[in-house]
Structures are given as C-alpha cells and as structure tokens.
Amino acid sequence: MRLRALLETDALGLRLLGGEDELDRSVRGVMTTDLRDPSRYLAGGELVLTGLAWRRDAADSEPFVRILAGAGVAGLAVGEAELGDIPDDLVEACARHRLPLFAVHETVAFATITEHVVRQVSGERAGDLAAVVDRHRRLMTSGPAGGGPEVVLDLLGSDLDLHAWVLSPTGRQIAGAGAPLPGPVGAVLAGRHLAATRTGRRGPHRATVDGTTYSLFPIRNTGRGAAPASRDVRESFLSDWLLAVEADASDWPAARLDLLQGVTQLIAVERDRRDAARTVRRRLAQEVLELVQTGAAPTEIAARLRVAAPVLLPGLGTAPHWQVVVARIDWDVEGAPGSTGGAGTSGIAGGPVAQALLEEILVDPAVTGPDSADRIAVAHTGDEAVALVPLPAAAGPVPDLAGAGYAATGAEDDPALHADALLAAVNEPLSAGLADDGRLTLGVSAAVHSPEGLRGALEEARHARRVAAARPGRVCAAGHHELASHVLLLPFVPDDVRRAFTARLLDPLRDYDRRHRAELIPTLEAFLDCDGSWTRCAARLHLHVNTLRYRVGRIEQLTGRDLSRLEDKLDFFLALRMS
C-alpha cells in the first residue's frame, strides 16, 4: 500500500507535516520504536511509529532521522499524546532527508495504525500472490506460439495493468501492447540497460525517463542459436533483447518478479525462432563472402546471388543492386574483470557479436517486429561482420566498382544505406554499452549492380571502416564517398609524423597568438577557406584588407612559408586538418 492511502484514511488520524512529494512510497510493514538506533530491526519500507521517548534535546533528531532514511523506511509517524506539537528540529531533519513525517492524533492508538497496515499489506500480498500464480499459468499456456510476444504483453496489460515493450539493444521496438514507446525513450532505456549490464548488476534495472519510471528485464538468448556460456558479459550483452515495463519493480514481491522472469523466458523462445529463421540468410551471405574473397569467377558469384535474391526479396523480378557493410567490435584488454587476451586484444570473439549487432543496426528503426530484418544477410569472418544488403529500387545508375558506369544514384529516391544515418540511429545506446573499453566501427560501400563489383565493394567497405576506426568516439562510421579525398589518407599517418608535421607549421603561430592575444590561426583557416581571396577573407573576418595582409605576412614570417604558393597552402591545409 502507499503512504497516500494511509493519509486519506480518516480513522487513522494522521496529519502530514512534510514530504508531500514522497507520498507514493510503498509501505511493506510497520514498526513501533523508542530506541535511539533501531536500525538492526529495520528491513526497509516500514512506517515507523514513535512516541519520541528517545529524544532528550534538539540534537537527537538529526541522527535518528538519518538512521531511518539510511534504512529505507517509508515514513515516520509521531504521536502527539506526550509532547503535543511535534518539535521543529524533527520536522527540519525529516525535510533534509526527504523522509515523510506524520503527526498521530492523541486519540489514536499506535495499535490501531499497526493493525490497519498489517491487514492491508497482508491482504494485498495474498491477493497479488494468487493473481500472479494464475497469470503465470495462463502465460505459460499462451506463450509466443499463440501469436508472438504481443500475446504475452497483452496479458500483462489486461491482467496486471502493466504496460511493457520488448526492445532491441539499440532501443527499437520489437513488440508491444497498446501505444508504442516513443523512439527516443526506447534508445535511452536501451542505453541505460546496456550500461547497467556492463557493471554486472542483476536485473531488473530501474530507469526514469521524462518523469516515468521503467524496470528493465534482460531477455537472455538461451535457445539453439545462443552462444555458449561465456566468462565475459561483453561476449553476449550487445545482442540481447530487453523487456521494458512501465513500473517500479523495486518493491515487488518475489512471486511477481518470478512471473516477469517467466515472461522473459517465453520471449527468449521467440528470439530463438527468429534466429533460426535467419540461418538461411546467414548461410547465403557466408557463401557469397567466401566466393568473393577467394576470387571466384563472376558467373559463379552471379549464380549464388540469383539464389539469394528471392530469399531476401521475395517477388522481386530482377536482380537488385547490392551494398556491402562491414562492422567490427574491439575491446581493450583492460576491460571487464576476468577478460583474457594478449597485448592489445581482449580475447573476446568479436565476429558473432558484430554479426548479431549488424543485423539489428541495418533494420530501419521506424520498423517494429521481430521479423523486420528479412532483407539482411550477414556473415562473419574472424572479428569482422559483413552484410550483403540488396537494394530493390535504385533510382538511377549506380557505381560499378569493376570500372564501368560510375555515376551517382538519384538523391531523392536513393534507397542506399548511408553511414551517417546508420550512426545516428544507434550511437546513443551503443555508446553507453561500449562504455570506456569498447568500440564499434562501420564501413559502408557504394551500391553495385554486378557480381564483378562485389569484390571492390567489400574492399571499399573495409577501407571505410578503417577510416572510421581512426576517428575518436565509441561508435564511428564512414561511407564510400569519404574515400575519394585526402580524408582517406590522413587517418593512416603515424602519430609521431602527424605531431611533428603540425608542430613545425602551427606551433609558432599558436605561441604568437598566446603571447600577443592575436588571431593568426583563425586568420589562416579563413584565408584557406576563401581560396586565398583577400577581399572575401577580409569581409568574413570583418577586417580591412591591409590588416589581413599584415596578419598573413606575420604568418609567412613566423613559418618561413609563402601563402601565394600552392604547395605551402596545401601544407597548411593538411596541418590544420591533422591538428
């Protein structure tokens, strides 16, 4: 029962003195005490009744209230029979510790309150236990076989008034009953769940988003498609679903928690069915990948693609265009306790985890349901996952990496995957899960329309992934368009060379700016951005052209370079990019 219900019961004679914002606390018991330190008898959730016999002076209130708050009691009720008005020092101490405080009218005996609380709490527990046992039986007989996870979630809503959703590791809704969970909320909950799981804490995990409290239950994949039990949570948690329940499960009885654990087991069965259905697509992707990597004849690859197309795109009349996406997960060796591996490696098998995660990442986040990844075929080799993604409706010519027909796809109706869009959809939750010792990097190729182009697309995606790996951040992605400029070269410059090059050119300017409060570095950046145009650069910086000429002259004097020469302009441009 809630404190609010006690306050609203006139027969109990309670008057609220503080803690109005905490009246939704649950009361799981009652205790009467006049001990100065009753902590050994408190389990949390009690309504404590006291006649203040422990109080000798104002200094006694603070330690007494601090002990109660530390024990997690629901509230404190003080009798007015002995002292009349409740001392101000006690009221203030309860306010500091956010402990609800009630005054008990002198005509009401503590025994009356105790009997009422015990009767209410015992009745609720007995009724809830009976209901939970009955719901457990019904849930186990309904199960996913009767219509998928929605059947289970419908029963939770209709019988226990619990709103719940099944979410992927990126926060995408897989199943739900009633109103869908807003996408941003799902992403936040997934991130909180992954972060809590990384710490080794047992579920359910509690999370509050926009003033609403949710309890997050892990859905372990324990079926035929599950990985063997691992010593390191990092080998599996990034591919686990979760059950988000709009409720605070911290005060639930054990029977109700057991019921929700049974629900997660039922949904895990559905997860196993989904993974079994992906087996064919994974095998097709593995076969195509092996053919491409071993340099098989284009006719042989084309034959395998003709087999794959109807499986991935039922009803498609012609062979689609294809895109390749490469993903890799890397963990630091100083990661979670118990991890093994040599220098620079965590010893964690990254390929299967990257495969399951890439299958999820490539699903449109606006699409719900466990079977929404039918188009995606993902293989893994070593620590790398490779996705073969068909594009059913290309709007125009696409790049052929074999060397012919290189043209841009129409932008408005372009169905191709883009690295920045993939990153935006998963960055928040996965960054929370990867914490401070893991990285996910993605590379996306251009679309190709012939078997000859797949080998080039695979290499292109791998190069793009290496570009992404050179960037800061826990989740990084790069696309094929970034491989056609100096951006491709800069990440692979050794760190010592990078530092020496930028220091030689830029350190004299930085030192001058610091000593004279000048702005030579911003001036240099603006001058290069304006392609060396004096008038445009002066207008951008709101300077007179003569002032700009003075600054550029100072830059040339300090560095020994000539900004009228293309070579020196290029050196400054690269130094700024690498700094």
Side-chain angles (χ1 to χ4, degrees), residues 220-237 239-240 271-272 275 282 349 351-353 355-356:
R220 306 296 185 195
N221 188 14
T222 57
R224 291 167 295 175
S230 63
R231 295 170 297 168
D232 197 317
V233 69
R234 296 176 294 179
E235 292 187 10
S236 60
F237 83 109
S239 57
D240 285 340
R271 171 69 183 272
D272 184 37
D275 284 345
R282 287 178 172 179
V353 179
Q355 179 184 42

Side-chain angles (χ1 to χ4, degrees), residues 37-117:
D37 181 4
S39 58
R40 73 183 68 180
Y41 305 108
L42 297 171
E46 298 92 348
L47 175 67
V48 174
L49 307 175
T50 182
L52 297 180
W54 50 267
R55 183 183 180 279
R56 297 169 184 167
D57 55 43
D60 292 335
S61 293
E62 170 65 25
F64 180 77
V65 173
R66 184 171 61 249
I67 289 170
L68 297 188
V73 304
L76 174 64
V78 180
E80 294 179 321
E82 295 294 328
L83 299 180
D85 293 337
I86 308 302
D88 291 340
D89 49 88
L90 181 60
V91 176
E92 293 168 0
C94 288
R96 282 194 296 273
H97 292 277
R98 300 181 63 86
L99 182 66
L101 176 64
F102 302 91
V104 182
H105 195 272
E106 60 183 5
T107 60
V108 178
F110 282 175
T112 301
I113 299 175
T114 300
E115 181 182 357
H116 178 84
V117 172

